[in-house]
Amino acid sequence: MEPTAPTSDAPITITVAHGDGIGPEIMEATLRILEAAGAPLQYDTIKVGKEVYTSGHSSGIAPESWDTIRKNKILLKAPITTPQGGGYKSLNVTLRKSLGMFANVRPVKSVAPFVASPHPQIDLVIVRENEEDTYAGIEHRQTTEVTQTLKLITRPGSEAIVRYAFEYAKAHGRQRVTCMTKDNIMKLTDGLFHKVFDEIAAEYPEIEAEHRIIDIGAALIGAQPDSFDVVVAPNLYGDIISDIAAEASGSVGLAGSANIGTEVAMFEAVHGSAPDIAGKGIANPSGLLRGAIMMLDHLNLDRLAETIENAWLATIEAGIHTGDIYGENSTRKVGTAEFADAIIERLGQTPETLTPAHYTDAEVSVGVHPTPRAEKTLVGVDVFLDWDESGRQPDVIGNALRELDGEGLRLKLITNRGVKVFPDGLPETFWTDHWRCRFVATDDTVTPQQIVALLGRLADNGFDAIKTENLYLFDGERAYSLAQGE
Ligand code: NAD
């Protein structure tokens, strides 16, 4: 979306959801601060969360609310309570995926020494891909012993998130973008993400680009979070490192987050609905307020975003703190409403020690280029069998399958959990009931009809084929992984 700067007489209508638990309290405080700062906003309110879940909507949102969100394009959402028990789908995942919010942006910045932090210099932003990876939620149980999930990494999805990370870095004066993947193991999926990162990094020579393997990268975010600037990662790694980074800052309760799509964007606090303190008037509204500040930045209301953030920083600096962050550098313990009052009193002030906020008018543009179609050649098939006979001896199944070679396909090898067990496997390898049998073309290519014929021969001989994966070359390059030991 390309937000347009509002004129003074044209307020922007956004959608607001007050949520559950402490949600209504912190939303009330946040909206009061926005109003006192003169934010040119008006609100359409929708209900999401516990009440909506228990009234029969399994995703926690009523059908009519979708229209409101899609019309206004901006949603400011307080945390909700997900009811216990099965059958309820995550509202956040439903919103993100249905509305194409591909980027989750989570800045983590310390306000030490006013709020104690083990890493007082931390100032990083995690940009997490929001829709793909193992979160596609495509899972199957295939045999008695084996389950699987599909990890989907796409070129357009990778391009959108990586470009967003660089655009975000450019617009926010950041120097470096670090990509984290496990492409030493997942050469096709994570390898694609890394390759797209390298391609897009070349378009931003003014920003330093680096790649780290996720395991050491995550360890470094925990140990030295102040050495990172912007970090971009696929969904699962991004989910994990967002929490590591927030934890390393020492104040999960202070963080806001944005979910950005090409049309719709959603802003919220990182924390949950804190039912243990709901209704007591003591919750810290900072997380939601910082989500709202990200929203103002997104709407190109930069001066307003600065004014509110600076007033918030000045309040933190003055030691006026809610109970969750009250410590040795605090001067006054306040509740939610008093904390909001203190921020309102400081509108127009800038912090003296902490770095004042500064937002620019730079647009964070989003978008992907169409992927040119690749030429695909079918060169074989992996057939997965559920087989639990003859003490699971690989030679028994291997020799039986070799009898079924013919019609353009021959058995090349069998693996169990990715490790070659036939021919010439090792007796130490553990065998489950799930066998990947790789049949390759005896000529340069094979036809789908020849694969179907092979499946027919397998069925006729009592083999239980539970899944197939075609083996392709794309533009002449092998587009499937080799087995361990192949
Ligand atoms: P939580 O973040 O709600 O609470 C964890 C702890 O932090 C609690 O002790 C709580 O009192 C404290 N806390 C959280 N926010 C605070 C604030 N603003 N001020 C002061 N203290 C604060 O996590 P949880 O207890 O695991 O989850 C509670 C509910 O929230 C669950 O139903 C969960 O599903 C939901 N949840 C919702 C969202 C969301 O809507 N985005 C995110 C996370 C969890």
Side-chain angles (χ1 to χ4, degrees):
M1 193 189 64
E2 297 290 332
T4 44
T7 56
S8 55
D9 53 357
I12 303 169
T13 306
I14 67 165
T15 307
V16 165
H18 291 253
D20 300 314
I22 59 170
E25 300 162 54
I26 60 175
M27 182 61 85
E28 204 266 327
T30 299
L31 296 185
R32 209 149 57 75
I33 295 165
L34 288 173
E35 192 186 340
L41 299 174
Q42 57 192 26
Y43 308 111
D44 281 341
T45 301
I46 59 163
K47 266 209 159 90
V48 291
K50 200 171 178 182
E51 203 181 296
V52 187
Y53 274 115
T54 49
S55 69
H57 301 288
S58 65
S59 295
I61 178 166
E64 58 276 16
S65 300
W66 289 102
D67 297 338
T68 313
I69 298 173
R70 292 178 61 227
K71 171 170 68 80
N72 296 331
K73 298 188 188 305
I74 301 286
L75 170 62
L76 181 63
K77 177 180 148 291
I80 59 138
T81 302
T82 313
Q84 296 293 313
Y88 298 115
K89 289 193 218 137
S90 160
L91 172 66
N92 266 7
V93 174
T94 305
L95 285 170
R96 284 173 192 163
K97 294 188 71 166
S98 307
L99 297 171
M101 292 189 269
F102 63 90
N104 181 254
V105 185
R106 209 188 259 200
V108 181
K109 189 172 180 185
S110 152
V111 283
F114 305 101
V115 177
S117 165
H119 300 285
Q121 302 302 321
I122 188 170
D123 181 9
L124 66 87
V125 181
I126 308 277
V127 178
R128 163 190 170 193
E129 199 290 318
N130 231 355
E131 298 181 287
E132 308 195 333
D133 199 348
T134 45
Y135 290 62
I138 306 173
E139 294 198 298
H140 299 94
R141 177 172 171 179
Q142 298 186 308
T143 66
T144 302
E145 293 179 347
V146 177
T147 53
Q148 76 160 21
T149 190
L150 279 189
K151 170 172 167 130
L152 297 176
I153 301 282
T154 73
R155 177 169 271 277
S158 303
E159 201 179 315
I161 192 69
V162 171
R163 189 173 300 286
Y164 187 86
F166 278 97
E167 284 285 316
Y168 182 96
K170 198 167 94 175
H172 293 85
R174 302 246 167 196
Q175 314 295 318
R176 183 159 31 101
V177 180
T178 306
C179 171
M180 294 195 185
T181 72
K182 188 80 179 169
D183 68 337
N184 54 332
I185 302 295
M186 284 162 278
K187 296 188 169 74
L188 285 181
T189 47
D190 284 16
L192 174 62
F193 194 93
H194 187 173
K195 188 166 174 234
V196 168
F197 176 78
D198 288 345
E199 288 168 11
I200 290 178
E203 296 175 27
Y204 299 84
E206 71 282 16
I207 297 170
E208 194 189 330
E210 65 171 6
H211 174 267
R212 283 191 183 277
I213 297 295
I214 182 65
D215 38 14
I216 185 65
L220 286 173
I221 290 180
Q224 307 163 17
D226 33 14
S227 67
F228 290 93
D229 198 347
V230 175
V231 180
V232 64
N235 206 340
L236 176 60
Y237 311 140
D239 191 0
I240 295 166
I241 59 178
S242 296
D243 276 17
I244 296 175
E247 199 62 39
S249 79
S251 51
V252 182
L254 300 184
S257 116
N259 291 278
I260 309 285
T262 45
E263 291 295 324
V264 177
M266 172 171 83
F267 301 86
E268 59 184 343
V270 164
H271 60 75
S273 59
D276 51 331
I277 57 164
K280 295 186 178 161
I282 58 171
N284 187 345
S286 297
L288 186 60
L289 182 66
R290 292 178 98 187
I293 292 168
M294 294 176 81
M295 174 184 80
L296 297 175
D297 175 33
H298 181 81
L299 289 168
N300 287 340
L301 296 167
D302 303 305
R303 297 294 80 77
L304 205 54
E306 273 172 20
T307 302
I308 297 176
E309 187 164 325
N310 284 334
W312 177 77
L313 289 167
T315 307
I316 294 287
E317 248 183 27
I320 302 169
H321 295 167
T322 45
D324 56 311
I325 55 170
Y326 193 81
E328 56 184 37
N329 289 322
S330 306
T331 54
R332 186 150 66 93
K333 192 189 262 187
V334 291
T336 315
E338 272 179 289
F339 186 71
D341 292 340
I343 295 171
I344 290 168
E345 274 165 31
R346 285 166 181 75
L347 287 168
Q349 293 183 20
T350 44
E352 284 169 16
T353 309
L354 295 167
T355 312
H358 177 62
Y359 292 98
T360 69
D361 292 339
E363 297 265 323
V364 180
S365 69
V366 295
V368 294
H369 298 122
T371 310
R373 299 299 299 169
E375 191 180 319
K376 186 163 105 148
T377 314
L378 185 58
V379 295
V381 63
D382 279 347
V383 182
F384 293 76
L385 298 179
D386 180 353
W387 186 74
D388 187 34
E389 292 166 27
S390 307
R392 299 185 180 179
Q393 289 299 317
D395 284 353
V396 174
I397 184 173
N399 291 326
L401 291 178
R402 285 223 154 132
E403 297 290 313
L404 305 179
D405 278 357
E407 290 193 47
L409 283 162
R410 71 175 172 82
L411 179 71
K412 184 176 184 203
L413 56 87
I414 301 175
T415 69
N416 200 302
R417 296 190 303 177
V419 183
K420 190 179 81 163
V421 294
F422 178 87
D424 308 323
L426 296 176
E428 288 82 1
T429 305
F430 182 77
W431 304 315
T432 68
D433 55 1
H434 185 268
W435 307 81
R436 187 260 302 261
C437 309
R438 174 159 291 176
F439 291 87
V440 294
T442 47
D443 296 324
D444 289 345
T445 61
V446 63
T447 64
Q449 289 78 359
Q450 288 172 314
I451 290 176
V452 171
L454 169 68
L455 293 176
R457 294 199 294 283
L458 288 167
D460 289 346
N461 286 275
F463 286 105
D464 181 9
I466 46 168
K467 154 193 164 100
T468 62
E469 287 286 350
N470 288 350
L471 306 180
Y472 290 110
L473 307 180
F474 277 86
D475 292 333
E477 262 185 53
R478 177 171 51 79
Y480 51 91
S481 59
L482 295 179
Q484 286 156 9
E486 183 169 355

